[in-house]
Amino acid sequence: MLPAEMFVLALCVLQPQKGKVIVLAFAVASAWSAFLLALGMGTLTASAESLSQKLMGSQGPQVLAMLRDSGPVSMVFFSIFPDSPRSAIALFALSGVSPESIGAMVLIGKLMLYTVLLWLIHHLPSRVGRWRGAGPFWVRWLQRRASRFVAYCRRIRWRAKCLNPGA
């Protein structure tokens, strides 16, 4: 199984003119998935409160209230990571955070992640030439990785053009 970020990268390299649509489609799909999971887990809220009471005692309601208060904002941070943390979505849904806010926060986080990927694909090739031969070790290491990525993008586009000469 490949994460969605691999598909976003591949599609944005092969179809750079449709990059914004690709980014939006994948972010909406991720948010919809998080919303559906939160909606399904939200039906178990009453049993989660009784379980938290058994496991944490008197601190259970405090923990659930803390998750309800800071949960949606931290969900943006969790969503920036390559794979949506399903356990975090379930935890926030069980603590009583609304599925709509979970879906919205996942949408914002994924839009941020995918926009950065699209920006790198679009702007990295023009920046690589300026970096050559300068800077400390970590800059040269980054230059080599960026150059290799740009070379892969060119090779993929060239192969796609060879396979479909009419396009």
Side-chain angles (χ1 to χ4, degrees):
M1 295 196 48
L2 293 173
E5 287 73 19
M6 295 299 298
F7 292 110
V8 170
L9 277 172
L11 288 172
C12 286
V13 166
L14 291 172
Q15 296 288 327
Q17 67 276 10
K18 295 182 182 177
K20 292 176 186 173
V21 173
I22 293 167
V23 164
L24 186 63
F26 274 86
V28 167
S30 183
W32 181 250
S33 171
F35 170 76
L36 290 177
L37 177 63
L39 194 63
M41 296 301 288
T43 60
L44 304 173
T45 303
S47 62
E49 288 179 5
S50 65
L51 182 63
S52 71
Q53 186 68 27
K54 288 179 186 175
L55 293 175
M56 293 183 269
S58 63
Q59 295 175 346
Q62 292 172 341
V63 171
L64 291 177
M66 184 181 71
L67 282 173
R68 276 189 289 269
D69 294 340
S70 63
V73 176
S74 62
M75 197 68 213
V76 171
F77 174 73
F78 289 134
S79 297
I80 291 174
F81 291 113
D83 192 20
S84 289
R86 302 291 178 204
S87 58
I89 292 169
L91 179 66
F92 291 135
L94 289 174
S95 69
V97 177
S98 72
E100 294 85 12
S101 63
I102 290 174
M105 295 304 132
V106 168
L107 177 68
I108 292 168
K110 289 300 182 181
L111 277 175
M112 290 168 56
L113 173 66
Y114 297 153
T115 302
V116 167
L117 289 175
L118 181 65
W119 184 85
L120 283 173
I121 290 169
H122 183 70
H123 293 289
L124 193 60
S126 63
R127 305 278 191 265
V128 171
R130 297 182 205 160
W131 293 346
R132 299 221 188 268
F137 170 75
W138 67 271
V139 173
R140 288 192 307 266
W141 181 84
L142 183 62
Q143 290 169 353
R144 285 193 295 272
R145 298 312 176 267
S147 296
R148 190 172 295 158
F149 177 75
V150 170
Y152 285 144
C153 290
R154 287 185 186 135
R155 174 110 172 122
I156 289 170
R157 287 186 185 133
W158 177 78
R159 295 278 297 170
K161 190 184 288 186
C162 288
L163 292 174
N164 192 4

